[in-house]
Amino acid sequence: MKQIGNILIEKGLITQSQLEKGLKISRDQNTRLGMALIDLGYITEQELLSTLSKQFGIPMLPPGELVVDPTLLHYITPQMAKEYSIIPISQKGDAILLATFDPMNSAIVGRLENQISRRIIFNLATNEQINSAMKRYYLGNEDMLSSMRYIEDYKVDSVLDTIDPDEALLESGPIVKFVNQVLIGAIKERASDVHIERDGNDFHIRYRIDGILKTMFRPKLSLHPMITSRIKVMAKLDVSEHRIPQDGRIMFESEGYKIDLRVAVCPCIDGENVVLRILNTQNKALELNQLGFTPKSLEKVNTLISHNFGLILVAGQTGSGKTTTLYSILQKLNRESVKIITLEDPVEIRLPTLNQIQINPKVDLTFASGLRSILRMDPDIILVGEIRDQETAVLATNAAMTGHLVFSTVHCGNTSEVPVRLAKMGVEPYLTANVLLGMIAQRLVRVNCTHCLHEENTPKDLREKLGIDFATYIGRGCAACAGIGYRGRTCIEEITIVDNEIRQKIIERATSQELEDTAIKQGTVTLKESGINKIRNHVTSATELARVL
Ligand SMILES: [Zn+2]
């Protein structure tokens, strides 16, 4: 590509002395000659590109936003994209078509082809087109990657031998910057927890994203004590104490958000492990239609919550999003004419004008004792965080009987198990049948990353188990989803409205299987069916549904 300068001279676009100036700058600043000439104002990018295009027969991509095939993003890491100013566009047979504004010399092309194990074809695009595509497709990972490079560039390991460890922890020091990047990265990736762990000779930092742990960094082992020390300093813990567990808090500000980090440090046999729980104090309740329920389900929920009294129960395991659903419902019901009181453990989101009470068993403020006292406060709507004992169950059904709309959660798998569970807790079935308006059961499934979606290789037994006879899709893992293949979560739901037939079954102490059969006849879409519909629409994968069912 050395001749590019001469070609531009032949075309009369630049002079010999301009070429020499450009060459010097490209050497001194380690930029490409074309860019140097553009920066110097000798040629425009358009002139350079059309010359290159004509001279070498390289097609130019149409102006405007580049259309990138997201399934190819994993071939080109954000670093490679940045270093070579390239972005993958499409596949041409076994080759990958990359956009560039400067076709490189064959040595670099060879190295790139080796790195990605695919043949490369170039098309031309402007610097701005490539930069804007890079921002769109690689956003979020750039900072984290630059911090990794930061650590490596500064060769902290060798620096450590020569500097005072205290100095490495100074505000401008590499450890401080790295820890900040780890925390900001966690917030950007929407992680709920950060685990900083040493296990034998392995030191890794994992994020819990959408409920699943994923290793994000493997810093050098020698950095372990300094990184844990830095976190202890931030959490105002005793840095010299290494033998007992310590708890603390860090208030962290990231891009205008205030974030509360709960820090737990625990001595393990290989050194101290740290877990940071990220509490976003600005979390807001979602609107009902943002939960991922189908329009039909939303209609059922709206029917249920239009009652003035009765009991509505949400079933699901811990982490199934039950609380989120209840907050959305309460937010919808919240208006001047009604009084809403909640009993929660813990209060996760604050809703304006609601009376929210945090349970505290240490002073005997339990769901049961709290429920007894709030009934004296003239509420219209009551939320009891969870029904897990006879006393709470009986109190909640009585409250529903006496003219209150009562919401609560029960720890069980699907809607038809709810009446059976209440009976086991000692609530008379005729009472349940009288007050129960309906049950919602739900799970959270991770959402396929739309940038790296491809056909899933679903094992035969899984297909049979789910009864799937169509192609399913899953994310492969790319820059947009931090290599996980999923980004975000959505609900799968099952809603059963208690009608006369189900009421009769409850009174007859029917089994959960009998209740389920009746509910399906009545039109209830089961959790499994709800999940399969999401797979059919490529929202989630068969593997993911099998994980949560
Ligand atoms: Zn992806």
Side-chain angles (χ1 to χ4, degrees):
M1 216 49 50
K2 216 168 106 205
Q3 324 92 303
I4 180 72
N6 295 328
I7 294 158
L8 292 169
I9 291 178
E10 276 166 35
K11 300 258 171 207
L13 289 166
I14 55 168
T15 64
Q16 183 64 38
S17 74
Q18 286 177 332
L19 172 61
E20 274 155 25
K21 250 190 213 161
L23 281 170
K24 184 173 176 332
I25 286 187
S26 105
R27 264 194 314 271
D28 291 352
Q29 300 182 354
N30 197 22
T31 58
R32 297 219 187 74
L33 175 61
M35 276 320 286
L37 292 171
I38 292 166
D39 284 345
L40 285 165
Y42 296 152
I43 52 167
T44 66
E45 195 173 9
Q46 211 52 47
E47 285 170 336
L48 175 70
L49 290 184
S50 61
T51 310
L52 288 169
S53 172
K54 273 186 214 129
Q55 193 64 31
F56 302 107
I58 306 172
M60 277 178 81
L61 289 164
E65 273 196 357
L66 292 179
V67 183
V68 169
D69 176 354
T71 63
L72 301 174
L73 283 171
H74 67 282
Y75 282 107
I76 305 291
T77 64
Q79 292 113 309
M80 286 157 78
K82 218 171 174 176
E83 187 177 349
Y84 302 115
S85 290
I86 49 175
I87 191 117
I89 298 291
S90 59
Q91 299 204 57
K92 286 258 144 64
D94 66 331
I96 290 182
L97 196 151
L98 299 175
T100 179
F101 59 85
D102 187 0
M104 299 120 197
N105 65 49
S106 49
I108 297 181
V109 175
R111 206 162 81 210
L112 258 177
E113 286 184 330
N114 260 337
Q115 255 168 304
I116 67 174
S117 310
R118 295 285 290 259
R119 209 159 54 76
I120 288 172
I121 305 170
F122 285 117
N123 274 11
L124 294 169
T126 64
N127 195 15
E128 202 195 313
Q129 281 180 302
I130 290 166
N131 276 340
S132 113
M134 250 156 45
K135 272 202 198 105
R136 261 181 295 133
Y137 289 97
Y138 290 116
L139 192 78
N141 292 43
E142 217 175 299
D143 282 346
M144 239 168 11
L145 288 156
S146 63
S147 85
M148 287 300 279
R149 224 167 341 170
Y150 186 75
I151 289 281
E152 289 187 354
D153 283 354
Y154 283 72
K155 300 217 169 21
V156 176
D157 265 353
S158 56
V159 174
L160 280 186
D161 299 334
T162 56
I163 62 164
D164 182 344
D166 288 342
E167 236 170 82
L169 289 171
L170 287 177
E171 282 308 313
S172 56
I175 297 293
V176 171
K177 287 202 170 168
F178 177 70
V179 168
N180 285 351
Q181 289 298 341
V182 168
L183 301 183
I184 291 169
I187 292 158
K188 275 197 171 150
E189 297 297 343
R190 306 162 301 108
S192 57
D193 306 81
V194 179
H195 294 242
I196 300 173
E197 305 155 310
R198 190 177 153 181
D199 171 20
N201 282 329
D202 190 27
F203 174 31
H204 48 256
I205 297 179
R206 295 190 288 176
Y207 289 172
R208 187 180 290 281
I209 303 172
D210 296 331
I212 304 284
L213 282 167
K214 159 103 180 157
T215 302
M216 303 301 284
F217 302 94
R218 280 186 195 281
K220 286 166 192 149
L221 198 56
S222 57
L223 297 178
H224 176 260
M226 309 186 77
I227 288 171
T228 50
S229 288
R230 170 61 189 162
I231 297 209
K232 283 158 87 176
V233 168
M234 290 171 89
K236 301 188 176 59
L237 300 177
D238 183 351
V239 181
S240 60
E241 177 58 72
H242 300 286
R243 298 154 305 168
I244 55 166
Q246 297 188 72
D247 297 319
R249 265 176 93 167
I250 303 173
M251 286 304 285
F252 196 76
E253 238 185 281
S254 167
E255 300 178 347
Y257 278 101
K258 278 216 174 59
I259 298 195
D260 191 358
L261 301 169
R262 301 288 159 91
V263 183
V265 182
C266 191
C268 298
I269 45 170
D270 296 312
E272 283 172 302
N273 285 350
V274 180
V275 176
L276 298 114
R277 164 143 287 215
I278 301 173
L279 299 172
N280 191 338
T281 50
Q282 268 132 335
N283 269 350
K284 288 202 173 71
L286 295 176
E287 299 288 332
L288 265 175
N289 60 11
Q290 290 177 300
L291 297 174
F293 284 16
T294 61
K296 218 172 202 154
S297 296
L298 281 176
E299 218 173 274
K300 282 187 173 181
V301 172
N302 284 324
T303 308
L304 281 177
I305 66 176
S306 64
H307 287 84
N308 289 323
F309 64 92
L311 180 63
I312 298 170
L313 293 173
V314 184
Q317 293 103 335
T318 310
S320 61
K322 290 176 293 194
T323 318
T324 310
T325 300
L326 286 170
Y327 276 126
S328 305
I329 289 174
L330 291 186
Q331 179 169 263
K332 170 136 195 199
L333 292 174
N334 191 11
R335 55 184 183 270
E336 192 198 354
S337 54
V338 294
K339 173 153 180 151
I340 305 178
I341 307 184
T342 74
L343 278 169
E344 303 173 62
D345 184 23
V347 173
E348 286 174 36
I349 299 180
R350 295 212 184 155
L351 292 172
T353 74
L354 255 68
N355 295 206
Q356 291 176 280
I357 301 168
Q358 165 82 53
I359 311 242
N360 184 358
K362 275 186 203 149
V363 295
D364 200 35
L365 178 50
T366 61
F367 285 124
S369 70
L371 191 49
R372 230 180 241 116
S373 42
I374 63 176
L375 284 172
R376 292 192 288 266
M377 292 173 72
D378 187 31
D380 298 292
I381 297 170
I382 301 169
L383 165 70
V384 184
E386 190 184 351
I387 294 180
R388 55 186 169 211
D389 55 64
Q390 178 172 13
E391 201 183 359
T392 316
V394 171
L395 282 167
T397 33
N398 282 337
M401 280 278 263
T402 52
H404 304 94
L405 187 58
V406 180
F407 293 93
S408 190
T409 68
V410 193
H411 201 93
C412 55
N414 60 36
T415 55
S416 44
E417 283 172 21
V418 173
V420 179
R421 178 62 52 88
L422 286 178
K424 270 192 193 146
M425 276 192 275
V427 182
E428 284 300 327
Y430 75 87
L431 202 62
T432 306
N434 254 323
V435 298
L436 196 58
L437 299 170
M439 301 81 87
I440 303 170
Q442 65 177 67
R443 301 275 192 286
L444 290 176
V445 290
R446 288 179 294 164
V447 173
N448 284 334
C449 170
T450 51
H451 293 276
C452 57
L453 206 59
H454 73 291
E455 196 172 328
E456 185 179 12
N457 186 9
T458 321
K460 199 166 159 260
D461 55 335
L462 185 56
R463 288 180 158 279
E464 278 166 8
K465 188 180 150 210
L466 296 174
I468 287 174
D469 56 1
F470 49 86
T472 67
Y473 286 79
I474 191 168
R476 185 184 270 122
C478 70
C481 57
I484 296 169
Y486 299 98
R487 191 161 175 82
R489 285 188 286 187
T490 190
C491 266
I492 57 171
E493 77 284 4
E494 170 182 309
I495 300 177
T496 301
I497 291 182
V498 178
D499 59 5
N500 284 335
E501 214 175 322
I502 291 185
R503 203 166 288 130
Q504 194 51 43
K505 290 277 175 204
I506 295 175
I507 294 172
E508 288 165 8
R509 294 177 181 266
T511 63
S512 55
Q513 187 56 56
E514 288 167 330
L515 281 166
E516 183 172 353
D517 295 341
T518 312
I520 291 171
K521 250 195 281 163
Q522 171 233 61
T524 293
V525 176
T526 63
L527 277 172
K528 181 174 157 187
E529 210 46 54
S530 169
I532 289 169
N533 287 337
K534 288 228 152 65
I535 295 174
R536 192 176 281 122
N537 297 327
H538 306 177
V539 173
T540 195
S541 68
T543 316
E544 177 66 5
L545 180 61
R547 185 182 71 84
V548 303
L549 275 186

